[in-house]
Amino acid sequence: MRWQSLAWRGHPSLAIAPFVLLAAACGGGDAPPGAVADAEAPQQVAATAAPQANAAGAPIPAPGEWQLAVANGVVSVDAFQAPRRPLLEALAERAGFALELTAGELPPLTLRVEAKPLELALPLLVGELEYSAEWSSASGAHRLVKLVVGGPRALAPPDDDPSLRPGEVSDSLERALREAADDENAMSEEDALRQMHDADAELRLRAVLALASEGEGLKALVSAIESDPDPRVRAAATVGLEDSDEFAAVQALVGALDDPNAEVVVEAIDSLEFAGDASVVPALQQVLSHPDARVRDAAAKAIRLLGE
């Protein structure tokens, strides 16, 4: 299972997806890709800007499509791997601020924002890009005057462990999975349970991958996700639960969507996707507005794969 898991996650061409990819209907009906709500049509803006229009349970757009509504300083966005430049240009036009794009190519955007004030929606829309915003205040109103957007900025270190370099959680997990697959002397569950209390995070990581997702092993994996101080161990524990249909396992993976480390959240999403339980789609939809683009992309892909 561990080697299959590695093939599925790191080398999709080596694994056969256990699910059928279903087409998700775009909320824009017959509108072409990149459709933008017309700010000059009040009824349409009101419908698309209202919180209930993008409530949890709404289908995400097809790849490359997006919807935008701006009304009275409130922004709603629904986008899946959508071209960011025209979206930002449309936002600038409708919100009435000057836009300067200093980068040639901008990464696509996956995001769901439901009726947020512009000052709260903007950091999510800009995401991993360098930017500066000029605001003005007059008569109690706070208005965006100019937005300058550059290229992608360097990823910050994980929130909960500044000693780890960006990407180290995922790299450590894939390396550990390969080593576990090649290890002819598998660790016993008794040894693994004992090693879960070791001060060395590398030893705990190897122990996690040796645990079965049932009985005492299940309890230890759930505990690791909820309380282990090292994000590499928490990420590995999500992999250990991906083949379990126990309620406690699913709940632990859903809980990991709130992990402070974005790489752990991505691994939790991958495990929920691997498990194939469509009941977790509403929880996945809640992270479509996560500040990290990797999390948003993983969530959108998982939702589409699970048939929503």
Side-chain angles (χ1 to χ4, degrees):
M1 188 278 293
R2 299 302 175 217
W3 176 248
Q4 291 175 345
S5 176
L6 175 61
W8 169 249
R9 292 162 182 257
H11 306 280
S13 62
L14 300 179
I16 299 176
F19 318 114
V20 177
L21 180 62
L22 302 179
C26 174
D30 297 328
V36 180
D38 186 356
E40 299 301 320
Q43 292 182 341
Q44 186 176 2
V45 170
T48 54
Q52 61 267 28
N54 284 326
I60 62 175
E65 294 187 346
W66 53 272
Q67 297 176 328
L68 168 70
V70 182
N72 300 320
V74 174
V75 178
S76 294
V77 180
D78 226 349
F80 179 39
Q81 296 178 348
R84 194 178 313 223
R85 182 179 294 270
L87 199 160
L88 290 175
E89 290 172 344
L91 175 64
E93 179 183 353
R94 283 154 177 73
F97 61 84
L99 174 66
E100 181 179 341
L101 299 173
T102 62
E105 294 293 330
L106 298 179
L109 178 67
T110 299
L111 183 66
R112 173 166 287 170
V113 171
E114 301 176 4
K116 289 185 180 293
L118 179 58
E119 55 266 33
L120 298 181
L122 186 61
L124 298 174
L125 285 161
V126 175
E128 69 276 26
L129 302 175
E130 296 280 1
Y131 79 99
S132 63
E134 179 183 339
W135 298 84
S136 71
S137 297
S139 303
H142 193 53
R143 189 174 71 86
L144 180 59
V145 176
K146 183 177 181 179
L147 176 66
V148 180
V149 179
R153 58 173 172 251
L155 290 174
D159 294 340
D160 57 342
D161 193 341
S163 68
L164 296 177
R165 61 172 174 78
E168 186 167 351
V169 171
S170 299
D171 290 348
S172 296
L173 178 56
E174 290 202 11
R175 183 172 61 253
L177 285 168
R178 284 195 296 269
E179 292 172 353
D182 294 337
D183 188 1
E184 297 180 355
N185 300 312
M187 186 186 306
S188 70
E189 182 165 64
E190 182 179 352
D191 288 340
L193 289 170
R194 184 167 54 252
Q195 200 160 283
M196 285 296 297
H197 302 287
D198 197 282
D200 188 336
E202 289 290 341
L203 293 179
R204 298 200 307 277
L205 172 57
R206 289 199 290 270
V208 161
L209 295 179
L211 291 172
S213 57
E214 58 186 10
E216 292 302 313
L218 173 60
K219 293 179 183 178
L221 288 169
V222 170
S223 177
I225 288 177
E226 294 176 345
S227 61
D228 196 282
D230 195 293
R232 294 167 295 183
V233 178
R234 299 199 300 274
T238 70
V239 178
L241 294 181
E242 68 185 6
D243 62 349
S244 174
D245 57 2
E246 294 284 345
F247 179 76
V250 175
Q251 289 299 102
L253 291 174
V254 170
L257 298 178
D258 292 326
D259 196 280
N261 186 287
E263 293 178 67
V264 175
V265 180
V266 170
E267 294 298 338
I269 292 171
D270 285 348
S271 292
L272 288 168
E273 177 185 306
F274 191 92
D277 184 351
S279 69
V280 304
V281 167
L284 291 172
Q285 287 176 322
Q286 296 302 311
V287 296
L288 286 174
S289 58
H290 194 280
D292 194 292
R294 295 166 297 178
V295 173
R296 299 196 300 266
D297 283 338
K301 291 172 184 174
I303 291 169
R304 293 181 66 83
L305 194 61
L306 291 172
E308 294 293 326

